[in-house]
């Protein structure tokens, strides 16, 4: 090979240390003409899969290694030569993390000695033990240590590592290292301890170091690198640097040549399922399927049988019977233990999955396509994802761990990356930007991603004229750090199960939960490498449904069987059609509410479409709008060719589903289902012009064989191509539609229980608890405030009304609540003092309980109670607060505004008032309308309205348009803001919770929107009105009833 | 004993192709660089005022042992420290 190869290289997966992504490093290596490159991140292989893939694509040999942290804190560079070395590396890293504790690794000598086979060891950087000893002039110790390493790794596998970064003592250290190496007959090799691909990235690297150490650039002096030499250097640069030691350069290729590793693990399939006597995986699976079919299909028709046999055939030929059995077993356990769970995604295309009880969607009834889920053209395994009630998920995960063993199961990691908010915060702090500026920028930014921050900041009035160097650095660095890994967390669902010990394939780290381990790879890496996982995802809606059904049983003595409810109830669809969907699964978003009155779903199939179509993207223009126009009868239903009619009839001639794409390719161009799916997937990725042309040719010629002319075939191909990457998976939509209907049904028929469950499973959904409470009130579900003698930790239903629970009160956790309830068993609380003495909670807890109205039942005002609390807390134990001692204090009653503010402070919401309700009087002039008053006006009317901002969205595909949802005491109002208007009022909209908007009413297809022209904060408007009009008595400013409403 | 100059003294330096100093002119007096003990590079403070310097610890023909550096931005040379 020849040439210099970098063997010590950190990527961004050396968290908060490496300043270039694996991809950038590979790219740079390519430009330098490097034929091989190593990745050696700190104590991990987090970026190994990405690196491996990028290197392979660039035709650079990937070398996998890591920089290990030893028990004594020193560094050591390890490189895997082969599969054995790789496994040992994984084990070493894993062991290091177990010994080291959270977020640190500490490999001890004994472990290193046991797992050295197949590894090449380089002595490390200045922080390496040998280098460090030589720097301290302890040559004898260094020599002894080097001899120890020699023994462990062998002469061919241990090298002294030389680095030179133009530090004052680098020359001397290199000289000493080489002298020692020559004396002991050890090879010496050069490396550059790379931390970034190109020198200019040193700034980002400095920032990362500051973030890691929670300090600023000014204060971090010694923690940062002394110069900018830690970039990927060329052969020429390194040769010059080590001109005295040419062997060191040559050895880099010698080592590179010896490494040969591929990261393919397809043979490490899933574990073997333990089968009953005499059965094979497929025979047992078949048995279970037919048993299940009798449950699901009454009767079991020929169509069912033939579909089953077809699928079982494919499953058998692809050797996946074992996988299905594993998932079947998990779902069986869930069912037997009352754990709500259902399969999601493309698995619902399969009748095998349906009869095994993995999914709840009948693929025959919904006209689904098995090949979307599984076909013989696919590589790897299909992913079966299961949604589990969040509250029950832990139990199911434990089951999998127990069943397959600690060695063979692990959770999948999730890489938390830098996005707009955290980038602005962390980079700002490192640069020493004043905190208030950081705050304002953070709150003003709309995008999730930081990659376009410069453009966004340029639009903000406050920041557009900032030109200073620090500001430029700030914005620039935020953009650079976008998408960088920040830290690792556990992926919400993925569980990896393997037949061989996982620690041979990927390093595992202990998670916070005891006995739990996490892989260092994320789900994309796992998939890339061919491993099997089952996604066990928590879905709060399932917890909500479970809770609601329990509440219904308690309140009405009815045990709802959601599998048996009628799926065509008109009351439910009426509610959906008028977009009365706060809290309803999948259809409550602002965008959905805008679509429902147009699409008017009246049956489950309509719901399947509904769930699918509200997605951002070009799909909207090409597919969704035509569908909606046709649904509304504004456009004729047509088909490009009669052949397409049976496939597209259900969606009025428009392609909406991925399954339809496959069917179209099969019927139009004569593709096999596997080929058709391959086409669909290929179109979804970025393809070159030539590749698309090639696909088009194949399609058109196939169509010709079917008797379809070229023009039509071209048009059909265009239709598929433009859609392919954005289409929806129908089975996924079908699974969700079912849950959507169930949640809507509960909302329609058991609203108190529904809202109660919704409040108890926050955070979830699109809206905050206060919006939910107001929606409940609008549906005649009364909300009762906290009551110290009646409330529980969670909200409960009392005679058809919801009693707020302790969970919302700040400072009152589950522990305190339990204590309160326990005490309550011994008798009701008779006074604040009684409560305090019996439960002794924190001051914050009691204060907030008072402010939330928990003690209103005792007939004293909140002010009085807080006053008394002060006295009570000053008491000595045993002392009684005698009535005589209490000074008579006259305290003014709280106004309505103050009551509301008090409740908000204590629990983030008010059971009594909406903020707009109490402030209404202050802006009652000049025709400021309530939300309920808007619907009846004519389109085109100019109006003013005000409300609380409950949603603000700026979809990337909406060309700068911003969508707002305002709420007042009567309902929700939709506001549309053009980019120019938004630019002008961005600050107000972003930072003020209550705003007033002036604009024109736009009514279309039963949906009302206010097209905004002007904004002001509610405060401003109230001030303006006060100064313009002499003030009438303000009821909101008068004393509210401080006692609880019955 | 070393003396760090309060204000680095500007000098003229001739280098070879590799950028290593070969001769200096200090206070009008030319001297040869007889030996280089160390060289190092410092680059920092990019967020305020970028500072990038190449340092050399040299011995001159007059017996002077000192630290000189080249300021990378301006390409001017300075004497920063004198060693006894």
């Amino acid at each position: 090979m020849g040439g210099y190869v970098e063997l010590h290289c950190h990527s961004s997966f050396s968290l908060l240390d490496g300043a270039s992504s694996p991809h950038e490093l590979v790219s740079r290596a390519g430009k330098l003409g490097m034929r091989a490159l190593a990745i050696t991140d700190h104590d991990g292989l987090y970026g190994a899969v990405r690196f491996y893939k990028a290197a392979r694509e660039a035709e650079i040999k990937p070398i996998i290694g890591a920089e290990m942290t030893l028990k004594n804190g020193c560094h050591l560079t390890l490189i895997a030569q082969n599969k054995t070395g790789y496994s040992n590396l994984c084990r070493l890293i894993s062991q290091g993390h177990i010994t080291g504790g959270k977020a640190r690794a500490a490999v001890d000598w004994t472990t290193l000695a046991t797992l050295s086979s197949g590894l090449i060891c380089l002595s490390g950087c200045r922080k390496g033990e040998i280098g460090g000893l030589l720097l301290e002039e302890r040559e004898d110790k260094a020599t002894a240590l080097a001899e120890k390493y020699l023994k462990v790794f062998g002469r061919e596998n241990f090298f002294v590592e030389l680095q030179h970064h133009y530090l004052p003592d680098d020359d001397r250290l290199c000289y000493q290292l080489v002298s020692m190496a020559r004396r002991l007959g050890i090879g010496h090799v050069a490396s550059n301890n790379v931390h970034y691909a190109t020198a200019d990235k040193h700034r980002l690297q400095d920032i990362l170091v500051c973030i890691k150490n929670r300090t600023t650039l000014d204060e971090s002096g010694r923690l940062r690198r002394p110069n900018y030499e830690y970039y990927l250097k060329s052969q020429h640069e390194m040769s010059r640097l080590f001109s005295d030691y040419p062997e060191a350069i040559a050895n880099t290729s010698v080592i590179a040549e010896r490494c040969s590793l591929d990261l393919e693990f397809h043979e490490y399939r899933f574990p073997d399922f333990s089968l009953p006597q005499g059965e094979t995986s497929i025979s047992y699976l078949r048995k279970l399927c037919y048993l299940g079919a009798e449950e699901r299909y009454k009767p079991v028709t020929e169509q069912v049988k033939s579909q089953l046999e077809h699928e079982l055939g494919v499953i058998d030929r692809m050797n996946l019977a074992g996988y299905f059995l594993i998932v079947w077993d998990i779902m069986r356990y869930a069912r037997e233990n009352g754990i709500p769970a259902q399969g999601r995604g493309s698995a619902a295309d399969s009748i095998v999955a349906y009869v095994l009880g993995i999914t709840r969607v009948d693929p025959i009834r919904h006209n689904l396509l098995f090949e979307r889920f599984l076909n013989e053209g696919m590589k790897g395994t299909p992913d079966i994802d299961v949604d589990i009630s969040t509250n029950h998920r832990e139990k199911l995960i434990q089951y999998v761990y127990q069943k397959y063993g600690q060695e063979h199961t692990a959770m999948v990691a999730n890489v938390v990356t830098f996005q707009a908010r955290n980038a602005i915060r962390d980079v700002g702090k490192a640069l020493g930007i004043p905190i208030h500026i950081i705050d304002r920028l953070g709150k003003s930014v709309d995008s999730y991603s930081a990659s376009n921050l410069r453009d966004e900041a340029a639009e903000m009035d406050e920041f557009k004229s900032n030109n200073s160097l620090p500001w430029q650095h700030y914005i620039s660095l935020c953009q650079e750090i976008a998408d960088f890994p920040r830290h690792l967390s556990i992926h919400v669902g993925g569980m990896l199960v393997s037949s061989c010990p996982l620690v041979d394939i990927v390093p595992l780290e202990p998670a916070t939960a005891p006995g739990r381990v996490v892989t260092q790879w994320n789900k994309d890496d796992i998939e890339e490498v061919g491993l099997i996982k089952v996604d066990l995802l928590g879905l709060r809606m399932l917890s909500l449904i479970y809770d609601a059904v329990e509440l219904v049983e308690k309140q009405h003595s009815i045990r709802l069987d959601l599998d048996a409810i009628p799926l065509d109830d008109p009351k439910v669809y009426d509610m959906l059609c008028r977009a009365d969907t706060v809290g309803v699964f999948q259809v409550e978003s602002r965008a959905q509410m805008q679509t429902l009155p147009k699409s008017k779903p009246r049956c489950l199939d309509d719901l399947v479409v509904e769930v699918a179509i509200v997605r951002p993207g070009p799909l909207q223009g090409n597919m969704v709008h035509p569908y909606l126009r046709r649904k509304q009868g504004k456009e004729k239903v047509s088909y490009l060719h009669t052949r397409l009619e049976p496939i597209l009839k259900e969606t009025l001639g428009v392609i909406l589903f991925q399954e339809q794409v496959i069917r179209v390719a099969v019927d139009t161009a004569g593709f096999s289902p596997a080929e058709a799916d391959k086409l669909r997937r290929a179109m979804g990725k970025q393809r070159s012009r030539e590749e698309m042309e090639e696909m088009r040719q194949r399609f058109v010629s196939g169509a010709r064989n079917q008797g379809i002319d070229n023009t039509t075939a071209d048009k059909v191909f265009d239709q598929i191509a433009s859609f392919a990457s954005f289409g929806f998976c129908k089975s996924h939509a079908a699974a969700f539609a079912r849950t959507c209907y169930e949640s809507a049904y509960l909302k329609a028929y058991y609203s108190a229980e529904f809202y109660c469950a919704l409040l108890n499973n926050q955070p979830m959904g699109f809206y905050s608890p206060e919006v939910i409470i107001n929606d409940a009130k609008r549906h005649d579900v009364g909300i009762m405030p906290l009551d110290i003698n009646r409330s529980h930790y969670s909200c409960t239903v009392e005679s058809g009304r919801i009693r707020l629970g302790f969970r919302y009160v700040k400072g009152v956790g589950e522990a305190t609540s339990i204590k309160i309830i326990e005490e309550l068993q011994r008798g009701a609380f008779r006074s604040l003092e009684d409560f305090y003495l019996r439960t002794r909670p924190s001051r914050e807890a009691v204060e907030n309980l008072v402010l939330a109205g928990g003690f209103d039942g005792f007939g004293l005002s909140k002010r009085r109670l807080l006053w008394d609390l002060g006295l009570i807390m000053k008491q000595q134990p045993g002392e009684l607060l005698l009535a005589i001692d209490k000074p008579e204090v006259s305290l003014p009653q709280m106004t309505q505004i103050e009551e509301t503010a008090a409740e908000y402070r204590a629990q983030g919401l008010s059971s009594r008032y909406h903020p707009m309700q109490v402030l209404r009087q202050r802006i009652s002039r000049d025709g400021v309308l309530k939300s309920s008053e808007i619907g009846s006006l004519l389109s085109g009317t100019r109006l003013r309205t005000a409300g609380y901002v409950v949603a603000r969205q700026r979809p990337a595909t909406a060309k700068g348009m911003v969508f707002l949802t305002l709420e007042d005491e009567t309902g929700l109002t939709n506001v549309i803001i053009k980019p120019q208007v938004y630019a002008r009022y961005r600050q107000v909209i972003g930072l003020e919770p209550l705003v007033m908007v002036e604009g024109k009413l736009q009514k279309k297809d039963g949906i009302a929107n206010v097209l905004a022209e002007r904004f002001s904060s509610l405060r401003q408007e109230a001030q303006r009105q006060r100064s313009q009009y002499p003030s009438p008595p303000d009821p909101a400013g008068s004393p509210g009833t401080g006692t609880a409403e019955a | 004993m070393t003396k760090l100059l309060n204000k680095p003294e500007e000098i003229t330096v001739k280098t070879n192709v590799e950028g290593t100093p070969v001769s200096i002119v200090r206070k009008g007096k030319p001297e040869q660089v007889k030996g280089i003990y160390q060289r190092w590079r410092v680059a920092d403070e990019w967020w305020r005022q970028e500072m990038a310097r190449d340092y050399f610890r040299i011995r001159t023909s007059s017996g002077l042992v000192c630290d000189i550096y080249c300021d990378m931005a301006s390409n001017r040379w300075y004497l920063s420290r004198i060693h006894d």
Side-chain angles (χ1 to χ4, degrees), chain A residues 332-621:
Chain A
R332 176 203 57 80
Y333 178 84
R335 214 169 20 250
E336 286 171 12
N337 289 273
I339 298 175
Q342 55 193 41
R344 64 138 70 185
S346 59
D349 275 306
S350 158
I351 200 173
V352 165
Y354 181 54
V355 298
L356 288 178
I358 296 174
T359 65
R360 294 175 68 216
V361 173
D362 177 353
I364 293 183
R365 185 219 171 287
H366 282 284
N367 196 20
L368 298 173
L369 188 64
F370 178 64
E371 278 69 21
R372 167 60 187 83
F373 169 60
L374 187 64
N375 64 65
E376 283 165 275
M378 282 178 176
K379 84 163 191 167
T381 353
D383 250 357
I384 297 188
D385 301 343
V386 179
D387 281 326
I388 309 166
S389 154
T390 310
N391 296 342
H392 298 83
R393 184 172 159 259
E394 186 54 37
K395 198 164 172 202
L396 201 54
I397 289 181
Q398 281 305 330
Y399 172 69
V400 176
Y401 262 105
Q402 274 157 23
K403 175 134 190 164
Y404 296 102
Q406 299 282 5
E407 293 238 301
H408 302 262
T409 342
M411 306 298 290
V412 173
N414 181 47
V415 183
V416 178
T417 54
F418 280 99
Q419 298 302 333
R421 292 267 152 86
N422 55 4
I424 288 172
R425 189 190 59 225
D426 287 346
V427 173
K429 282 200 185 143
L431 280 168
I433 306 274
I435 194 86
H436 68 275
I437 295 187
I438 296 179
D439 260 347
R440 285 185 84 82
L441 182 61
K443 289 206 177 97
S444 307
V445 102
D446 285 319
S447 309
Y448 174 70
S449 162
S451 11
N452 289 317
L453 190 57
R454 185 170 288 121
D455 291 337
E456 259 200 89
E459 285 178 10
M460 300 177 202
D461 281 336
E462 193 177 354
F463 299 116
K464 65 154 74 123
S465 46
N466 274 27
N467 258 326
S468 67
L469 195 60
W471 182 259
Q472 285 182 37
H473 279 311
Y474 186 24
I475 299 296
S476 190
L477 287 161
C478 282
Q479 288 199 182
E480 278 181 57
I481 212 177
D483 295 321
F484 259 54
R486 191 181 184 285
H487 62 266
L488 245 59
S489 70
I490 300 187
H491 182 258
V492 272
M495 275 197 88
L496 201 48
V497 201
S498 81
S499 61
C500 71
L502 269 175
V503 81
D504 275 336
I505 302 176
V506 53
L508 305 173
E509 290 185 30
T512 6
R516 205 59 80 70
V517 283
V518 195
T519 62
Q520 286 190 339
W521 292 344
N522 77 351
K523 68 179 180 70
D524 295 325
D525 299 332
I526 302 283
E527 203 178 295
E528 183 67 38
V529 140
L531 293 172
I532 305 285
K533 70 172 178 19
V534 183
D535 266 341
L536 300 174
L537 308 158
L539 190 61
R540 288 193 202 271
M541 181 51 70
L542 291 182
S543 302
L544 185 161
I545 292 176
Y546 180 88
D547 286 351
V549 167
E550 297 266 302
L551 283 167
V552 167
E553 187 169 13
K554 212 158 115 191
Q555 298 294 311
H556 306 276
S557 305
I558 299 173
R559 183 75 201 171
L560 281 174
D561 178 7
L562 290 173
D563 279 327
I565 54 171
L567 297 175
D568 56 1
D569 190 309
K571 185 173 170 189
V572 177
Y573 291 108
D574 286 342
M575 194 180 83
L576 291 166
C577 287
R578 57 171 190 268
D580 179 8
T581 51
V582 169
V584 180
F585 190 58
Q586 291 290 301
V587 294
E588 63 169 346
S589 70
R590 182 207 54 83
Q592 277 285 356
M593 283 187 178
Q594 298 264 304
T595 313
L596 284 163
K598 287 192 235 177
S599 59
K600 291 205 181 313
R602 296 299 319 176
C603 62
L604 196 63
D605 291 316
D606 286 345
L607 266 188
V608 175
V609 173
E610 185 68 30
V611 166
I613 61 177
V614 183
R615 303 280 146 180
L619 176 59
Q620 291 295 313

Side-chain angles (χ1 to χ4, degrees), chain A residues 20-61:
Chain A
S20 285
S21 67
H23 193 92
E24 279 166 358
L25 289 162
V26 167
S27 183
R28 181 68 189 155
K31 290 206 178 87
L32 292 171
M34 231 180 251
R35 307 274 290 275
L37 178 65
I39 186 171
T40 54
D41 285 321
H42 292 297
D43 305 305
L45 298 181
Y46 309 98
V49 176
R50 287 165 217 239
F51 172 78
Y52 181 82
K53 189 169 172 202
R56 277 270 145 98
E57 277 171 8
E59 288 175 13
I60 292 175
K61 184 192 223 184

Side-chain angles (χ1 to χ4, degrees), chain A residues 572 575-576 584 739-749 754:
Chain A
V572 177
M575 194 180 83
L576 291 166
V584 180
T739 309
C740 166
Y741 182 84
E742 285 168 6
S743 63
Y745 183 87
L746 287 167
K747 178 172 178 170
Y749 285 103
F754 173 78

Side-chain angles (χ1 to χ4, degrees), chain A residues 502-776:
Chain A
L502 269 175
V503 81
D504 275 336
I505 302 176
V506 53
L508 305 173
E509 290 185 30
T512 6
R516 205 59 80 70
V517 283
V518 195
T519 62
Q520 286 190 339
W521 292 344
N522 77 351
K523 68 179 180 70
D524 295 325
D525 299 332
I526 302 283
E527 203 178 295
E528 183 67 38
V529 140
L531 293 172
I532 305 285
K533 70 172 178 19
V534 183
D535 266 341
L536 300 174
L537 308 158
L539 190 61
R540 288 193 202 271
M541 181 51 70
L542 291 182
S543 302
L544 185 161
I545 292 176
Y546 180 88
D547 286 351
V549 167
E550 297 266 302
L551 283 167
V552 167
E553 187 169 13
K554 212 158 115 191
Q555 298 294 311
H556 306 276
S557 305
I558 299 173
R559 183 75 201 171
L560 281 174
D561 178 7
L562 290 173
D563 279 327
I565 54 171
L567 297 175
D568 56 1
D569 190 309
K571 185 173 170 189
V572 177
Y573 291 108
D574 286 342
M575 194 180 83
L576 291 166
C577 287
R578 57 171 190 268
D580 179 8
T581 51
V582 169
V584 180
F585 190 58
Q586 291 290 301
V587 294
E588 63 169 346
S589 70
R590 182 207 54 83
Q592 277 285 356
M593 283 187 178
Q594 298 264 304
T595 313
L596 284 163
K598 287 192 235 177
S599 59
K600 291 205 181 313
R602 296 299 319 176
C603 62
L604 196 63
D605 291 316
D606 286 345
L607 266 188
V608 175
V609 173
E610 185 68 30
V611 166
I613 61 177
V614 183
R615 303 280 146 180
L619 176 59
Q620 291 295 313
N622 295 331
M623 298 294 160
V624 174
H625 292 161
Y627 171 78
L628 290 173
R629 283 197 299 272
R630 293 179 186 198
K631 191 95 204 298
Q632 294 174 284
K634 290 182 180 169
E635 188 179 288
K636 215 172 74 126
V637 175
S638 66
Y639 306 91
L640 280 176
H641 191 275
T642 45
R643 261 221 150 85
L644 299 175
E645 187 171 345
I647 305 170
L648 303 180
K649 189 161 179 181
E650 62 181 353
T651 49
L652 310 177
V654 177
I655 301 183
L656 288 180
F657 298 123
Q658 295 171 348
E659 287 86 346
Q660 290 172 322
V661 172
I662 298 175
R663 281 224 172 82
V664 166
V666 167
D667 275 12
T668 316
F671 282 20
S672 74
E675 289 175 318
D677 188 50
K678 193 153 169 231
L679 176 71
R680 179 191 72 80
R681 281 171 202 275
M683 280 173 161
K685 310 200 175 130
Q686 261 154 344
R687 293 285 144 179
S688 65
R689 196 93 74 72
E690 297 87 40
E691 284 170 306
M692 282 304 269
E693 252 324 289
E694 199 200 357
M695 287 194 269
R696 180 190 292 275
Q697 288 311 318
R698 269 195 293 135
F699 188 88
V700 170
S701 72
R704 219 176 307 127
N705 292 341
Q706 303 279 320
I708 298 176
D709 65 281
N710 287 6
T711 328
T712 311
D714 261 324
K715 283 211 193 108
V716 175
F717 182 84
D718 281 334
Q719 208 173 37
I720 305 181
S722 67
F723 148 104
S725 38
F726 309 105
F728 210 71
C729 174
K730 188 180 183 191
S731 52
H732 185 91
F736 274 1
R738 182 66 200 243
T739 309
C740 166
Y741 182 84
E742 285 168 6
S743 63
Y745 183 87
L746 287 167
K747 178 172 178 170
Y749 285 103
Y750 298 101
S751 33
E753 290 79 12
F754 173 78
Y755 284 108
C756 187
L758 184 52
L759 287 170
N760 285 335
N761 281 288
Q762 295 290 309
M764 67 173 282
F766 194 77
Y767 299 102
S768 62
E770 12 172 14
V771 178
I772 294 167
I773 288 209
N774 291 310
D775 197 58

